[in-house]
Amino acid sequence: MGIFHRKEAKPELVPQEYLPRSIGIIMDGNGRWAAKRRQPRKAGHAAGARTLRRIIRYCETRGIGYVTLYAFSTENWRRPAQEVDAIMDLLRDYLREASENFRNENVVVHFIGDISRLAPDIQQMIAEAIEFTAHKTGMVVNIAVNYGGRDDVVHAVRQIAQQVKDGRIAPQDIDEEMISAHLYTAGQPDPDMILRPSGEYRLSNFLIWQAAYSELVFMDVLWPDFTEEDMERALHAYAGRQRRFGGIK
Ligand code: IPE
Ligand code: IPE
Ligand code: MG
């Protein structure tokens, strides 16, 4: 199945045992949403940020274990500075609000990507958000900012190469598990499902290593319009897949 279209009927809830444990979401279509309304692209990003808050809450109520949201890619720096700044300001708003809300919510916040390229105040707020949710026991929310799947692998390989250089490991010790353990998502399960709204059929450098056996779900709704019902439809699509991991069933 390629893309699937929204049906108007309200979907029934997928039974717990068929739900993915870990979900990746490529939050796409903000610019097109704004263009349709003759608004600046940043209005689309602001609307997308509101969807993010709703969908995180929905995933939590559905008992999802891990959700990874692609907010800004290593390639998104190619956009006009004005747009990049607007996205960074929305990230500031989110982190500011999070510093209040996360205290009361049982979610563990994590950031994936090279955050050292972000503004110092953002890095500071990220460190705080991570610190005051670290002891929580609920859903893990990974926000991918300045994230690229290839950069993720490069970053892991550099750390492993250093260990070889220091004589702590031999090249033969390097295996898939070791590489996974050095990615930004270390210690977390690979995404069972990767969801991309907006009608594009690609990963755009999102979790490329981790996505080896992810079920891909594409939907033709723009991210700012994405609803809790759309999320449930995506969960249905996932529940209907037969996963084989190279074996036979
Ligand atoms: C996704 O929406 C948000 C980011 C990449 C930051 P876009 O801004 O890519 O929206 P479209 O794809 O142009 O509609
Ligand atoms: C992917 O969307 C990145 C994020 C959603 C953060 P893009 O809009 O940047 O991807 P392309 O350029 O269409 O592949
Ligand atoms: Mg896009």
Side-chain angles (χ1 to χ4, degrees):
M1 182 172 65
I3 200 156
F4 74 91
H5 299 274
R6 279 168 120 178
K7 291 180 214 81
E8 286 316 313
K10 196 173 169 153
E12 300 231 342
L13 294 187
V14 175
Q16 204 69 29
E17 68 260 42
Y18 299 115
L19 290 176
R21 185 172 169 219
S22 175
I23 301 177
I25 304 178
I26 301 173
M27 304 188 285
D28 195 22
N30 296 349
R32 277 163 281 172
W33 184 92
K36 262 177 38 184
R37 285 167 177 71
R38 298 179 193 283
Q39 288 178 16
R41 291 179 63 88
K42 72 175 189 192
H45 295 308
R50 291 193 287 276
T51 304
L52 164 123
R53 289 168 174 82
R54 277 195 287 107
I55 297 303
I56 289 179
R57 215 168 300 127
Y58 187 70
C59 287
E60 203 191 355
T61 61
R62 296 295 282 115
I64 304 299
Y66 301 80
V67 61
T68 303
L69 299 130
Y70 204 7
F72 193 85
S73 75
T74 47
E75 289 73 42
N76 287 147
W77 298 107
R78 291 177 188 155
R79 298 186 181 202
Q82 203 189 9
E83 181 172 350
V84 172
D85 290 347
I87 294 170
M88 292 301 158
D89 278 342
L90 286 164
L91 179 58
R92 281 187 180 90
D93 290 347
Y94 182 74
L95 285 161
R96 216 168 284 131
E97 176 195 306
S99 69
E100 293 300 314
N101 297 350
F102 288 166
R103 288 178 211 278
N104 311 318
E105 284 171 23
N106 192 22
V107 296
V108 181
V109 180
H110 197 74
F111 277 77
I112 63 170
D114 180 7
I115 61 164
S116 71
R117 260 199 76 185
L118 306 180
D121 67 307
I122 294 182
Q123 292 187 46
Q124 175 66 31
M125 285 193 277
I126 287 176
E128 284 165 17
I130 292 171
E131 195 188 311
F132 57 63
T133 66
H135 64 282
K136 306 268 175 142
T137 54
M139 182 172 79
V140 174
V141 177
N142 297 304
I143 315 266
V145 183
N146 192 22
Y147 177 85
R150 289 183 172 184
D151 179 64
D152 200 354
V153 174
V154 168
H155 171 258
V157 168
R158 283 202 185 123
Q159 292 176 57
I160 295 168
Q162 189 63 48
Q163 292 173 35
V164 174
K165 187 172 175 237
D166 297 345
R168 282 182 280 153
I169 56 167
Q172 310 82 267
D173 296 332
I174 301 169
D175 58 11
E176 293 185 8
E177 228 171 279
M178 188 182 290
I179 291 176
S180 292
H182 287 85
L183 296 173
Y184 290 118
T185 50
Q188 301 187 25
D190 287 338
D192 297 301
M193 168 179 126
I194 291 183
L195 165 67
R196 183 169 194 158
S198 92
E200 307 294 352
Y201 291 60
R202 54 179 173 266
L203 287 176
S204 300
N205 204 9
F206 187 47
L207 301 175
I208 52 170
W209 172 279
Q210 297 89 332
Y213 273 101
S214 301
E215 294 296 332
L216 307 181
V217 177
F218 298 104
M219 294 174 79
D220 66 355
V221 46
L222 302 172
W223 177 249
D225 290 329
F226 194 85
T227 64
E228 288 81 345
E229 288 178 16
D230 290 319
M231 189 68 215
E232 200 59 41
R233 287 184 189 102
L235 296 173
H236 268 280
Y238 171 80
R241 303 284 174 88
Q242 198 196 29
R243 305 184 78 187
R244 287 189 286 274
F245 300 98
I248 51 173
K249 253 194 190 142

